[in-house]
Amino acid sequence: MTAIPTFTGDAHPYSGGDPYADYRTADFPFTQYVDLADRRLGAGVVAANDEFFAQRENLLVAGRAEFDPEHFGHKGKVMDGWETRRRRGVSAEHPWPADADHDWALVRLGAPGVVRGIVVDTAHFRGNYPQAVSVEGTSVAGSPSPEELLGDDVKWTTLVPRTPVGGHAANGFAVSVEQRFTHLRVNQHPDGGIARLRVYGEVVPDPGWLAVLGTFDVAALENGGRVEDASNLFYSPATNTIQPGRSRKMDDGWETRRRRDRGHDWIRYRLVTQSQIRALEIDTAYLKGNSAGWASVSVRDGEDGAWTELLPRTRLQPDTNHRFVLASPAVGTHARVDIFPDGGISRLRLFGSPTAAGAAALEARYRELS
């Protein structure tokens, strides 16, 4: 649970030009997982003890933080992040904050799950970032209030111990706690500002809720599906295809670069568990001159199972939601969509329900991680 790599200390004061020119970052291996704190999944910053300079909600804004050197308000410099006031000691003789002094924010994960890595991004906080950060997690059923989360009966587990961080940097932490979490508490010691928070992990759905739903999208992120691989990610991530809701603009789907060969593009998915699939949707919303020309969908049962075609190569229309009812249910643990020859789709939906074996596996994993 250490920063990989470690950034510490102040960044240089902003001197003009591209504010990201001296930004410190790295490729973190855990970013292959879904962001459990994505607002599109329903995440939110439900409370903070202080947000004097900049609002807590900025932590989960999509995209990187922006910086306007000329933007000042009634309370000072306007920052695109969460920033607290400067802490002070108890007297003139002891003007410094106590070692235990810190600020905190409570984050509700959009999809409960196992956390694999966390990025605490201090972009543009060059001399006003926290000296150190720590992150804790808990699992509370239902929709608890901030007061309930802060109650004495709630147990918090350390995911990131108190660790020094750097200003104007992406501070990444690998997490190895095999437990399902619903909420996080982000602490900055003793005060300062954080631009963005990203929480990467694996969704672990409540099997009781899925059982009540009956038929649902067994590939959806919020239900525990995930993208394993894709042929091309040039314009946008393949994970967009299993996000909640319909696409609202072109880059809210998956689009590949233009091919100049005889190949084609594809995405491979892992379903929530072994499932019976009865119907599917392929949506090309907002992809008008760049939608895929044709698509096929296949499933396989198990890591080494043979691929079985559910939907043969079928013509797609631009900016259209295509629905297909299968003649008979198909059983699988993985799915694959192939598009021809290139272009994009905005969403893939696979409607079905877990098999008896799949439901048992879901229940066993849920109990193990809870």
Side-chain angles (χ1 to χ4, degrees):
M1 294 186 292
T2 57
I4 318 172
T6 298
F7 301 112
T8 55
D10 293 351
H12 295 298
Y14 176 66
S15 58
D18 179 7
Y20 273 100
D22 60 341
Y23 175 67
R24 295 175 286 178
T25 187
D27 291 328
F28 302 113
F30 48 75
T31 56
Q32 64 179 295
Y33 297 100
V34 63
D35 182 5
L36 301 177
D38 193 326
R39 283 287 297 166
R40 291 174 294 180
L41 290 174
V45 187
V46 299
N49 71 307
D50 187 297
E51 47 187 329
F52 185 86
F53 286 114
Q55 296 89 348
R56 65 183 190 264
E57 288 87 355
N58 289 334
L59 284 173
L60 305 187
V61 170
R64 68 181 190 175
E66 301 299 329
F67 180 72
D68 181 352
E70 305 298 329
H71 194 187
F72 287 83
H74 294 294
K75 293 183 178 181
K77 181 73 187 72
V78 175
M79 297 294 290
D80 185 9
W82 167 52
E83 185 180 6
T84 65
R85 72 193 79 198
R86 299 187 188 217
R87 282 184 171 269
R88 298 293 185 241
V90 296
S91 67
E93 289 74 26
H94 298 280
W96 309 280
D99 184 63
D101 287 349
H102 67 279
D103 293 316
W104 53 263
L106 296 177
V107 177
R108 178 190 66 242
L109 297 180
V114 179
V115 178
R116 299 301 183 194
I118 295 173
V119 174
V120 178
D121 190 346
T122 58
H124 314 303
F125 289 94
R126 296 169 176 268
N128 52 345
Y129 60 94
Q131 182 184 38
V133 300
S134 61
V135 183
E136 303 159 281
T138 191
S139 184
V140 180
S143 304
S145 68
E147 292 75 20
E148 290 170 322
L149 289 170
L150 295 171
D152 294 336
D153 58 333
V154 174
K155 177 186 177 182
W156 291 89
T157 300
T158 298
L159 304 184
V160 178
R162 182 170 175 169
T163 306
V165 294
H168 197 44
N171 299 277
F173 305 89
V175 177
S176 57
V177 180
E178 289 293 322
Q179 192 173 329
R180 180 182 186 267
F181 295 103
T182 61
H183 296 77
L184 301 187
R185 182 164 60 190
V186 181
N187 306 302
Q188 48 178 338
H189 309 265
D191 54 39
I194 299 170
R196 296 289 188 267
L197 176 75
R198 304 297 185 229
V199 183
Y200 297 99
E202 299 177 55
V203 177
V204 179
D206 180 350
W209 175 254
L210 296 183
V212 170
L213 293 180
T215 297
F216 57 89
D217 182 0
V218 297
L221 272 179
E222 60 189 323
N223 295 331
R226 69 177 187 266
V227 168
E228 287 193 327
D229 200 3
S231 61
N232 187 273
L233 303 172
F234 190 83
Y235 285 113
S236 46
T239 300
N240 282 350
T241 60
I242 52 175
Q243 288 281 2
R246 295 199 69 194
S247 172
R248 297 186 178 184
K249 52 182 180 174
M250 191 174 73
D251 66 353
D252 190 18
W254 172 60
E255 182 187 358
T256 70
R257 73 180 76 199
R258 299 187 188 210
R259 279 189 170 269
R260 302 305 188 208
D261 58 20
R262 294 290 182 175
H264 73 281
D265 291 312
W266 51 267
I267 307 174
R268 187 177 73 245
Y269 305 87
R270 176 183 289 274
L271 307 182
V272 56
T273 191
Q274 186 190 61
S275 302
Q276 277 195 333
I277 301 167
R278 301 182 182 88
L280 61 94
E281 289 183 358
I282 302 175
D283 196 352
T284 59
Y286 292 96
L287 295 162
K288 298 180 180 180
N290 51 354
S291 68
W294 292 262
S296 64
V297 179
S298 304
V299 297
R300 75 180 183 196
D301 192 20
E303 296 288 346
D304 302 319
W307 289 102
T308 301
E309 197 170 65
L310 298 184
L311 180 73
R313 193 179 304 188
T314 300
R315 185 78 168 106
L316 299 181
Q317 299 301 320
D319 195 28
T320 301
N321 191 25
H322 309 76
R323 291 178 171 174
F324 306 94
V325 176
L326 303 182
S328 58
V331 173
T333 57
H334 297 71
R336 172 172 159 153
V337 59
D338 294 86
I339 64 170
F340 302 88
D342 57 23
I345 61 173
S346 62
R347 297 290 188 269
L348 175 73
R349 305 298 189 204
L350 301 177
F351 296 104
S353 55
T355 63
L362 269 183
E363 182 68 32
R365 179 165 169 75
Y366 181 79
R367 291 183 180 278
E368 176 188 0
L369 296 172
S370 299

